[in-house]
mmCIF file of all heavy atoms in Angstrom:
data_model
loop_
_atom_site.group_PDB
_atom_site.id
_atom_site.type_symbol
_atom_site.label_atom_id
_atom_site.label_comp_id
_atom_site.label_asym_id
_atom_site.label_seq_id
_atom_site.Cartn_x
_atom_site.Cartn_y
_atom_site.Cartn_z
ATOM 1 N N VAL A 198 16.274 11.801 1.761
ATOM 2 C CA VAL A 198 16.575 10.721 0.802
ATOM 3 C C VAL A 198 15.940 11.160 -0.512
ATOM 4 O O VAL A 198 14.934 11.923 -0.540
ATOM 5 C CB VAL A 198 15.901 9.417 1.340
ATOM 6 C CG1 VAL A 198 14.395 9.542 1.399
ATOM 7 C CG2 VAL A 198 16.325 8.248 0.452
ATOM 8 N N SER A 199 16.537 10.783 -1.662
ATOM 9 C CA SER A 199 16.008 11.105 -2.977
ATOM 10 C C SER A 199 14.936 10.228 -3.280
ATOM 11 O O SER A 199 14.941 9.018 -2.848
ATOM 12 C CB SER A 199 17.094 11.087 -4.020
ATOM 13 O OG SER A 199 18.137 12.068 -3.846
ATOM 14 N N ILE A 200 13.937 10.651 -4.058
ATOM 15 C CA ILE A 200 12.802 9.785 -4.466
ATOM 16 C C ILE A 200 12.564 10.013 -5.968
ATOM 17 O O ILE A 200 12.433 11.196 -6.440
ATOM 18 C CB ILE A 200 11.524 10.114 -3.669
ATOM 19 C CG1 ILE A 200 11.764 9.838 -2.153
ATOM 20 C CG2 ILE A 200 10.408 9.235 -4.197
ATOM 21 C CD1 ILE A 200 10.498 10.156 -1.268
ATOM 22 N N ALA A 201 12.394 8.992 -6.762
ATOM 23 C CA ALA A 201 12.079 9.082 -8.159
ATOM 24 C C ALA A 201 10.723 8.372 -8.422
ATOM 25 O O ALA A 201 10.728 7.080 -8.226
ATOM 26 C CB ALA A 201 13.149 8.492 -9.060
ATOM 27 N N ALA A 202 9.668 9.053 -8.623
ATOM 28 C CA ALA A 202 8.379 8.479 -8.848
ATOM 29 C C ALA A 202 8.013 8.551 -10.240
ATOM 30 O O ALA A 202 7.909 9.691 -10.836
ATOM 31 C CB ALA A 202 7.296 9.272 -7.928
ATOM 32 N N CYS A 203 7.803 7.426 -10.854
ATOM 33 C CA CYS A 203 7.423 7.349 -12.319
ATOM 34 C C CYS A 203 5.919 7.101 -12.499
ATOM 35 O O CYS A 203 5.466 6.004 -12.178
ATOM 36 C CB CYS A 203 8.232 6.307 -13.084
ATOM 37 S SG CYS A 203 7.857 6.390 -14.892
ATOM 38 N N ASP A 204 5.240 8.090 -12.947
ATOM 39 C CA ASP A 204 3.787 8.027 -13.115
ATOM 40 C C ASP A 204 3.464 7.522 -14.583
ATOM 41 O O ASP A 204 4.405 7.473 -15.424
ATOM 42 C CB ASP A 204 3.147 9.400 -12.984
ATOM 43 C CG ASP A 204 1.653 9.394 -12.743
ATOM 44 O OD1 ASP A 204 1.058 8.303 -12.595
ATOM 45 O OD2 ASP A 204 1.020 10.460 -12.636
ATOM 46 N N ARG A 205 2.251 7.176 -14.863
ATOM 47 C CA ARG A 205 1.858 6.848 -16.240
ATOM 48 C C ARG A 205 0.962 7.958 -16.768
ATOM 49 O O ARG A 205 0.685 8.922 -16.004
ATOM 50 C CB ARG A 205 1.124 5.527 -16.314
ATOM 51 C CG ARG A 205 -0.147 5.462 -15.485
ATOM 52 C CD ARG A 205 -1.007 4.318 -16.039
ATOM 53 N NE ARG A 205 -1.453 4.599 -17.352
ATOM 54 C CZ ARG A 205 -1.929 3.701 -18.201
ATOM 55 N NH1 ARG A 205 -2.119 2.425 -17.839
ATOM 56 N NH2 ARG A 205 -2.349 4.006 -19.419
ATOM 57 N N THR A 206 0.642 7.894 -17.989
ATOM 58 C CA THR A 206 -0.199 8.946 -18.634
ATOM 59 C C THR A 206 -1.322 8.270 -19.385
ATOM 60 O O THR A 206 -1.444 7.042 -19.330
ATOM 61 C CB THR A 206 0.670 9.794 -19.567
ATOM 62 O OG1 THR A 206 -0.111 10.910 -19.999
ATOM 63 C CG2 THR A 206 1.190 9.097 -20.765
ATOM 64 N N GLY A 207 -2.153 9.065 -20.039
ATOM 65 C CA GLY A 207 -3.310 8.507 -20.797
ATOM 66 C C GLY A 207 -4.550 8.326 -19.994
ATOM 67 O O GLY A 207 -4.652 8.783 -18.879
ATOM 68 N N VAL A 208 -5.547 7.660 -20.595
ATOM 69 C CA VAL A 208 -6.832 7.368 -20.069
ATOM 70 C C VAL A 208 -7.069 5.853 -20.138
ATOM 71 O O VAL A 208 -6.744 5.235 -21.178
ATOM 72 C CB VAL A 208 -7.951 8.081 -20.738
ATOM 73 C CG1 VAL A 208 -9.310 7.796 -20.106
ATOM 74 C CG2 VAL A 208 -7.641 9.542 -20.855
ATOM 75 N N GLU A 209 -7.506 5.296 -19.099
ATOM 76 C CA GLU A 209 -7.725 3.834 -19.052
ATOM 77 C C GLU A 209 -9.105 3.568 -18.459
ATOM 78 O O GLU A 209 -9.372 3.933 -17.327
ATOM 79 C CB GLU A 209 -6.685 3.159 -18.192
ATOM 80 C CG GLU A 209 -6.144 1.852 -18.672
ATOM 81 C CD GLU A 209 -5.178 1.278 -17.622
ATOM 82 O OE1 GLU A 209 -4.974 1.893 -16.580
ATOM 83 O OE2 GLU A 209 -4.745 0.159 -17.854
ATOM 84 N N ARG A 210 -10.050 2.995 -19.305
ATOM 85 C CA ARG A 210 -11.473 2.880 -18.898
ATOM 86 C C ARG A 210 -11.890 4.249 -18.272
ATOM 87 O O ARG A 210 -11.709 5.229 -18.959
ATOM 88 C CB ARG A 210 -11.586 1.668 -17.961
ATOM 89 C CG ARG A 210 -11.406 0.329 -18.778
ATOM 90 C CD ARG A 210 -11.590 -0.931 -17.917
ATOM 91 N NE ARG A 210 -11.641 -2.030 -18.901
ATOM 92 C CZ ARG A 210 -11.380 -3.341 -18.566
ATOM 93 N NH1 ARG A 210 -11.155 -3.662 -17.277
ATOM 94 N NH2 ARG A 210 -11.322 -4.264 -19.440
ATOM 95 N N ASP A 211 -12.302 4.326 -17.118
ATOM 96 C CA ASP A 211 -12.773 5.611 -16.580
ATOM 97 C C ASP A 211 -11.687 6.474 -15.962
ATOM 98 O O ASP A 211 -11.983 7.607 -15.528
ATOM 99 C CB ASP A 211 -13.876 5.386 -15.541
ATOM 100 C CG ASP A 211 -15.189 4.804 -16.065
ATOM 101 O OD1 ASP A 211 -15.286 4.918 -17.339
ATOM 102 O OD2 ASP A 211 -15.957 4.281 -15.313
ATOM 103 N N THR A 212 -10.489 5.990 -15.864
ATOM 104 C CA THR A 212 -9.433 6.712 -15.068
ATOM 105 C C THR A 212 -8.558 7.514 -15.971
ATOM 106 O O THR A 212 -7.948 7.019 -16.921
ATOM 107 C CB THR A 212 -8.588 5.631 -14.287
ATOM 108 O OG1 THR A 212 -9.429 4.883 -13.476
ATOM 109 C CG2 THR A 212 -7.584 6.375 -13.480
ATOM 110 N N HIS A 213 -8.471 8.810 -15.626
ATOM 111 C CA HIS A 213 -7.442 9.702 -16.306
ATOM 112 C C HIS A 213 -6.296 9.694 -15.339
ATOM 113 O O HIS A 213 -6.418 9.849 -14.106
ATOM 114 C CB HIS A 213 -8.018 11.116 -16.419
ATOM 115 C CG HIS A 213 -9.131 11.228 -17.378
ATOM 116 N ND1 HIS A 213 -8.994 11.923 -18.583
ATOM 117 C CD2 HIS A 213 -10.346 10.705 -17.379
ATOM 118 C CE1 HIS A 213 -10.158 11.843 -19.258
ATOM 119 N NE2 HIS A 213 -10.977 11.115 -18.523
ATOM 120 N N TRP A 214 -5.048 9.684 -15.905
ATOM 121 C CA TRP A 214 -3.864 9.569 -15.058
ATOM 122 C C TRP A 214 -3.197 10.996 -14.946
ATOM 123 O O TRP A 214 -3.193 11.789 -15.813
ATOM 124 C CB TRP A 214 -2.897 8.569 -15.598
ATOM 125 C CG TRP A 214 -3.527 7.212 -15.659
ATOM 126 C CD1 TRP A 214 -4.025 6.506 -16.733
ATOM 127 C CD2 TRP A 214 -3.825 6.389 -14.457
ATOM 128 N NE1 TRP A 214 -4.584 5.312 -16.339
ATOM 129 C CE2 TRP A 214 -4.463 5.222 -14.951
ATOM 130 C CE3 TRP A 214 -3.561 6.461 -13.087
ATOM 131 C CZ2 TRP A 214 -4.889 4.104 -14.093
ATOM 132 C CZ3 TRP A 214 -3.968 5.470 -12.246
ATOM 133 C CH2 TRP A 214 -4.590 4.309 -12.790
#
Side-chain angles (χ1 to χ4, degrees):
Chain A
V198 64
S199 296
I200 301 179
C203 185
D204 198 6
R205 59 162 294 163
T206 188
V208 182
E209 217 187 358
R210 290 182 171 160
D211 289 344
T212 305
H213 293 247
W214 300 104

